[in-house]
Amino acid sequence: MTAPGTAAELRDADAPHRAAAAVVTGIGVAAPNGFGRDTWWAATLRGVSGIARISRFDPSRYPVRLAGEVPGFEAREHIPSRLLPQTDHMTRLALAAATEAVEESRLDPEKLSDYAVGVVTAASAGGFEFGQRELQALWSKGGSHVSAYQSFAWFYAVNTGQISIRHGLRGPSGVVVTDQAGGLDAVAQARRHVRKGVRAVVTGGVDGSLCPWGWAAHLAGGRMSTEPDPRLAYRPFHPEACGDVVGEGGAILVLEDAASARARNAPVYGEVAGCAATFDPAGGAAGLQRAARTALRQAELAPSDVDVVFADAAGLPDADRAEADALTELFGARAVAVTAPKTMTGRLQAGGAALDLAAALMSLRHGVIPPTVHVGAGAHDPRLDLVCDTPRTGRVRTALVLARGHGGFNAATVVRAPH
C-alpha cells in the first residue's frame, strides 16, 4: 500500500485527464525594480527594491506616499505612435511586455492558421489614469472634449484586445478579474485552451492605477501600509507587518503546446503542470491550502516534490498567519523554501501573481531562489523557511506559486522544469 501523501497515492486517487502539456516559451516583464525580463531578474537577485515615494503625481495630501513604479519606460520607444492617444499607461506596459514575450518565444503568428493563437490576460479595473484624465476633461470643458478612446481605454479587457490586435492573434481570448489572483487564473484559462488544442496563448497580467483616482480606490480598501520608510512599509510574515505597498506592472507569458514548441526548437522555461482556484470569503487557511493541494494533485506531485513556494505574502498579520498555517499544514514546519520577491515591487494587483510565476520559471532555469527583502532572517514567522536578503542556489525543479485576491479568491499554480 502506498504511503499517504506520496505522488503515487495522488495519481491513484484522482488521476487527471491526459491532455497536451503546456509550456512557457517566452516571458516579458515590466516591474518596479526593472523594465525588461533580464534587467528585472538581475535586480531581483541583487535584492534591489523598486518601492519609493510616488513620482507620477504629488502624494503629499495622502496618508500613503509609497508605491512601486516601473522605471525607465518610455512609451514612444516601445509603442507605435498611433497607439499612444488611445492607451492608458498600464496598457502600454502590457504591450511592451507582450512584445518581449512573443519575440523571445520566436512564435510567428503569421505562419500559423488564423485562430491558432489566443490572448488571455488578467486585470483589476482597466485604465484608471486614462479614465481620470477624460473625466477631468468632462468636468472642466464638457462632453465634446472627452476622447472617443475612453469607450475602451478604461475597460478591464483592454490589454487583451490591444495585444491581440497588435500581434494579429484571433484565437480564443478573454480576461479574468480576480484581483491579485488574476495572473494565475489567466494562465490557468490559457492552459485549458492549449490542452483543448489551441497552439499557443499569450497570457499573464500587467496592471496599474497610480493616479489620484486610483489611489482613492486603493486607500478605501484599507490594506495599504502608512509607514513612510520604504524598508519598513511592506514586510510580510514579520511581527510588525502593517499592510502592503501597491505597485504597477507584471508579466506576460507565451504558453504553448509542448509538442509544437519542441518541433520548432523553441526556448522552454518550464511546464505549467497544475492549476487550481478556490473561493473562500472568510479568508482563512482552508481555501488556499485546498487550492495548493488541488494544483499538486493535478500535476501528479506530492508536497515533498516542491522545491520552493512563492508566497502570496499579503503583509497583513491575519492574512500572513493564515498563509503560514496553510503552508505548515501542507508541508510541515520549515520543510520547504518560501520566498516573496514581491517585497521588492509591491503588490501589483492582477500583475503580481504573473510576475511571481515569471520569477518561479526563472528559478527553474537558473537554479536559484530570489530573496525576500526587508523582512530579516530570524525576524519572520519561525514556521517558515523564508529565503531572506540573499538568493539561495541549489536544485529547483518544481515551484508552487500562490496568490489571493481581495474578497476570497485563491489560486495556486505548479510549474516544473522541462524534461
Side-chain angles (χ1 to χ4, degrees), residues 30 35 70-80 84 89 92-93 96:
F35 175 71
V70 176
F73 177 70
E74 294 293 337
R76 295 180 184 279
E77 297 177 4
H78 303 277
I79 309 299
L84 295 178
H89 177 71
R92 296 169 184 174
L93 292 173

Side-chain angles (χ1 to χ4, degrees), residues 193-410:
H193 287 312
V194 170
R195 287 161 67 89
K196 290 177 182 178
V198 176
R199 176 71 174 271
V201 181
V202 178
T203 187
V206 172
D207 214 342
S209 49
L210 303 186
C211 63
W213 187 26
W215 213 236
H218 290 306
L219 289 170
R223 301 182 299 278
M224 297 173 70
S225 170
T226 57
E227 167 61 53
D229 188 336
R231 298 167 299 177
L232 305 178
Y234 177 37
R235 295 189 291 173
F237 306 114
H238 192 280
E240 296 180 10
C242 57
D244 65 28
V245 173
V246 172
E248 64 181 5
I252 299 294
L253 316 175
V254 175
L255 195 65
E256 187 171 353
D257 172 74
S260 298
R262 286 195 298 269
R264 64 184 189 84
N265 198 30
V268 175
Y269 283 90
E271 178 190 356
V272 178
C275 301
T278 62
F279 185 70
D280 181 12
L288 186 63
Q289 184 191 139
R290 191 166 68 253
R293 287 191 181 277
T294 304
L296 286 168
R297 183 167 61 245
Q298 193 180 93
E300 301 185 45
L301 296 171
S304 59
D305 295 316
V306 176
D307 299 306
V308 60
V309 175
F310 284 75
D312 173 68
L316 295 165
D318 289 345
D320 288 345
R321 191 177 306 111
E323 185 169 20
D325 289 345
L327 292 175
T328 303
E329 177 67 24
L330 183 59
F331 295 101
R334 300 187 64 82
V336 65
V338 178
T339 189
K342 59 170 63 72
T343 51
M344 292 173 255
T345 64
R347 291 177 68 83
L348 311 183
Q349 301 164 273
L355 189 63
D356 275 349
L357 191 58
L361 291 161
M362 295 294 281
S363 291
L364 299 181
R365 170 167 285 195
H366 298 287
V368 59
I369 300 171
T372 305
V373 302
H374 301 155
V375 176
H380 55 79
D381 189 315
R383 296 174 294 170
L384 301 182
D385 179 16
L386 197 64
V387 179
C388 292
D389 300 325
T390 58
R392 183 182 298 180
T393 58
R395 180 183 183 275
V396 185
R397 302 294 295 171
T398 302
L400 172 66
V401 182
L402 301 177
R404 292 173 292 184
H406 181 60
F409 299 103
N410 303 293

